[in-house]
Amino acid sequence: ADNHADDSRWGGGGLLLQGGSLQLRRSTLADNSASDAQANGGVITSRFDDSGGGAISLRGARADIENSTLSGNRADKTLLGGGGILAVYSDARLAHATLAGNDSARDSLIAAGGSLARWDHDRPTAELRLTHSLVSASGQQCFAPGPITGLGNRIDDASCGAGAGSLGPVTGLDPTLSANGGPTRTHLLMAGSNAVDAGPASCLGIGGQLLLVGQRGVARPQNGLCDLGAVEIVAAQADLSITKTDGVSSAFPGGSVTY
């Protein structure tokens, strides 16, 4: 958290990967930033000469992200944006992820994707895919000359494209990243959120394997259907208390007790 790559051609305030692969599970990347008038990125960036990444910079690489949160990351004055994820000549696949409050600020040039961006128009086989994830922030969420694909997501605007599988904007997502149990900070789903019990009966990872717990370690699913995003909300328990008071000086067989 809170790493910075300032005036950096390659970025990577947290991690820089030039080739290879990354598997991120039950983790939070928060408050990282990248800045460079000729760079791009915020959390994940990829192979483009003048690019950057606040938390993770990928170049000709691959990232698989499950049960994880990307929060409050920023790409400032960068070429392609991607405050949350920028994939250029790289593959990024997310399952049950929460992207919240990521931002991209630009003066000019090509585009700004506060949460997601990809740039690989001459490599059509590159993949940026989301399943049962949440993408929420102010401003434009995505910039993608190539397709973003997905299934069963909640995304706050239509900029990710029809193929991203958005069910519409998310409601009831706590905007504050907090210690909500488990080893990492998370964004909780509040009562009445349209992401609660909005997934399938089996919570699946990127490779189709069962995700038996969410980011906090809470068992998935809780109410027969998976919650979208990284956090599974604990099923509500009945809160009932009965106090009995003897209404007579002594109770005896056949007598009455009032309560």
Side-chain angles (χ1 to χ4, degrees):
D2 200 26
N3 299 288
H4 307 279
D6 297 326
D7 298 321
S8 169
R9 179 179 180 183
W10 305 122
L15 292 170
L16 170 63
L17 276 72
Q18 293 180 297
S21 61
L22 168 71
Q23 293 183 334
L24 193 70
R25 296 190 178 100
R26 295 182 60 191
S27 300
T28 291
L29 305 175
D31 301 322
N32 303 286
S33 67
S35 66
D36 191 338
Q38 293 289 317
N40 45 72
V43 168
I44 296 180
T45 71
S46 302
R47 196 182 188 104
F48 187 75
D49 278 350
D50 289 318
S51 60
I56 302 173
S57 179
L58 301 177
R59 300 174 179 281
R62 178 172 185 156
D64 287 346
I65 300 171
E66 296 172 341
N67 275 339
S68 293
T69 297
L70 280 60
S71 174
N73 301 284
R74 182 176 175 84
D76 189 21
K77 297 180 189 266
T78 63
L79 183 64
L80 296 177
I85 297 174
L86 172 61
V88 182
Y89 305 119
S90 293
D91 300 313
R93 304 186 300 174
L94 295 85
H96 284 283
T98 297
L99 280 67
N102 300 289
D103 182 43
S104 177
R106 307 184 32 76
D107 288 337
S108 59
L109 299 176
I110 298 174
S115 297
L116 299 167
R118 64 170 287 183
W119 182 260
D120 42 26
H121 59 287
D122 57 352
R123 186 191 167 213
T125 59
E127 182 178 27
L128 178 51
R129 179 171 176 80
L130 299 88
T131 55
H132 304 118
S133 294
L134 303 176
V135 181
S136 179
S138 60
Q140 180 176 322
Q141 299 302 307
C142 295
F143 167 67
I148 296 175
T149 61
L151 174 69
N153 303 297
R154 287 279 178 189
I155 303 174
D156 275 2
D157 70 4
S159 62
C160 298
S166 177
L167 302 171
V170 59
T171 62
L173 178 66
D174 189 342
T176 303
L177 186 69
S178 304
N180 297 308
T184 57
R185 293 179 297 159
T186 53
H187 291 274
L188 282 185
L189 298 174
M190 297 181 288
S193 170
N194 60 8
V196 174
D197 297 339
S202 296
C203 312
L204 300 180
I206 290 165
Q209 79 281 12
L210 287 174
L211 298 178
L212 299 179
V213 297
Q215 183 173 343
R216 299 184 299 159
V218 174
R220 285 190 186 271
Q222 282 288 307
N223 294 312
L225 294 173
C226 302
D227 296 341
L228 303 183
V231 171
E232 189 77 14
I233 298 301
V234 177
Q237 303 293 321
D239 185 10
L240 177 64
S241 176
I242 297 176
T243 301
K244 294 193 290 186
T245 302
D246 187 357
V248 294
S249 58
S250 61
F252 54 91
S256 63
V257 176
T258 60
Y259 59 90

